[in-house]
Amino acid sequence: MPITAEQLKIEELRLRYLDMIARPDVFPTRANWQFISRNRMHGLGHALFAKFIAALTVDEVDREELHDIAIEEFPAYLQSIDRDEALDVAYSGIHSAPAEVSAIIHDCMLFDADYLLNLLDNDELPLVMQLLDSYQPEYSPADMEAMSLLLERLQNLPDLGHIEMRQGIFGMSEKYVCPAGHVNAADAEYCGHSGCGLDARGLTEAQEKALDDYTNRVGALRSLLAPEM
């Protein structure tokens, strides 16, 4: 297939940008960011993510305009490129800034059940629950299968909390020990210690609600996709 002069010019610029942003002290201007996004330049995701993270690590009072631009423009870049590349960039870097990247995953509709299953396999349950209410732009029967598998895994989490006998003022009595090791009354459904709130499966009340909502979402999607499955 013939390559147009415009395509060649854009590729030359892409390679120039790739070389430029590889330098730690260089940040793209807003015009650079917008040109990159407008032309959906592939292969820059990880390098631009590094700029986003570098900008976040600068204290707000010390941030320069180019830092603020990186924080503002990076999500738009992710939305502009191929979804598979965007997913790889977001999920491979999520541990660098969990709250900020989770917000981007929500805003850019980068939910992906396979990536969440991988996080679950790596004992990242809180992060999975944080992302469970995000969406993706469209869904296929294959997506439905992955989402169903994720649901099954979450519905069958092992009990990490337990009931055990503990010595108290009035002798031995049953206590609920949450997954974090906090001791509660035996009939406590959720840990009452400040900042904890875990049930026996390691979920907070809000996370259990998120799981219920996800269960409903999978059911709704199954209903919509029924003619294709």
Side-chain angles (χ1 to χ4, degrees):
M1 182 176 67
I3 300 298
T4 67
E6 187 63 24
Q7 288 174 313
L8 180 56
K9 291 176 184 179
I10 290 174
E11 178 62 10
E12 290 176 25
L13 282 170
R14 189 188 74 83
L15 295 174
R16 192 179 305 168
Y17 281 133
L18 189 59
D19 179 64
M20 178 186 75
I21 62 180
R23 297 188 297 231
D25 58 330
V26 175
F27 281 76
T29 65
R30 192 177 300 278
N32 293 153
W33 277 100
Q34 292 178 350
F35 183 86
I36 289 169
S37 296
R38 187 166 60 250
N39 289 282
R40 306 184 66 194
M41 290 185 174
H42 65 90
L44 305 181
H46 290 286
L48 290 174
F49 180 77
K51 298 301 180 187
F52 172 74
I53 293 299
L56 283 176
T57 59
V58 178
D59 192 279
E60 287 189 27
V61 297
D62 296 323
R63 283 180 191 162
E64 299 179 2
E65 183 180 10
L66 290 178
H67 296 138
D68 292 330
I69 289 171
I71 293 170
E72 294 167 10
E73 294 290 341
F74 177 70
Y77 170 73
L78 273 193
Q79 286 183 305
S80 74
I81 60 175
D82 176 77
R83 175 174 166 82
D84 287 341
E85 183 176 357
L87 288 170
D88 177 60
V89 171
Y91 282 91
S92 64
I94 194 169
H95 296 96
S96 302
E100 291 80 2
V101 178
S102 293
I104 289 175
I105 288 173
H106 281 82
D107 293 343
C108 296
M109 302 183 76
L110 292 176
F111 173 88
D112 186 273
D114 286 325
Y115 276 94
L116 265 62
L117 281 164
N118 184 61
L119 288 172
L120 194 58
D121 287 339
N122 286 280
D123 297 322
E124 298 282 0
L125 178 60
L127 196 49
V128 170
M129 300 310 298
Q130 188 174 344
L131 297 171
L132 202 59
D133 64 343
S134 57
Y135 285 84
Q136 61 191 73
E138 56 186 20
Y139 300 83
S140 68
D143 295 321
M144 176 73 239
E145 291 182 11
M147 290 176 67
S148 296
L149 178 57
L150 176 61
L151 177 59
E152 182 182 355
R153 291 279 302 277
L154 292 173
Q155 288 178 328
N156 291 282
L157 292 171
D159 283 343
L160 302 175
H162 59 280
I163 299 293
E164 67 178 50
M165 298 298 294
R166 287 291 184 101
Q167 180 67 49
I169 297 176
F170 302 107
M172 300 292 289
S173 63
E174 288 188 340
K175 298 291 183 180
Y176 162 57
V177 182
C178 84
H182 302 133
V183 180
N184 299 264
D187 60 351
E189 185 176 359
Y190 296 96
C191 178
H193 284 244
S194 177
C196 186
L198 297 179
D199 64 11
R201 302 195 306 159
L203 299 178
T204 65
E205 189 171 4
Q207 289 170 339
E208 290 284 7
K209 172 63 166 57
L211 180 54
D212 287 342
D213 291 343
Y214 181 72
T215 302
N216 293 335
R217 182 178 306 163
V218 171
L221 183 59
R222 183 177 292 115
S223 176
L224 288 170
L225 289 174
E228 302 180 37
M229 299 179 69

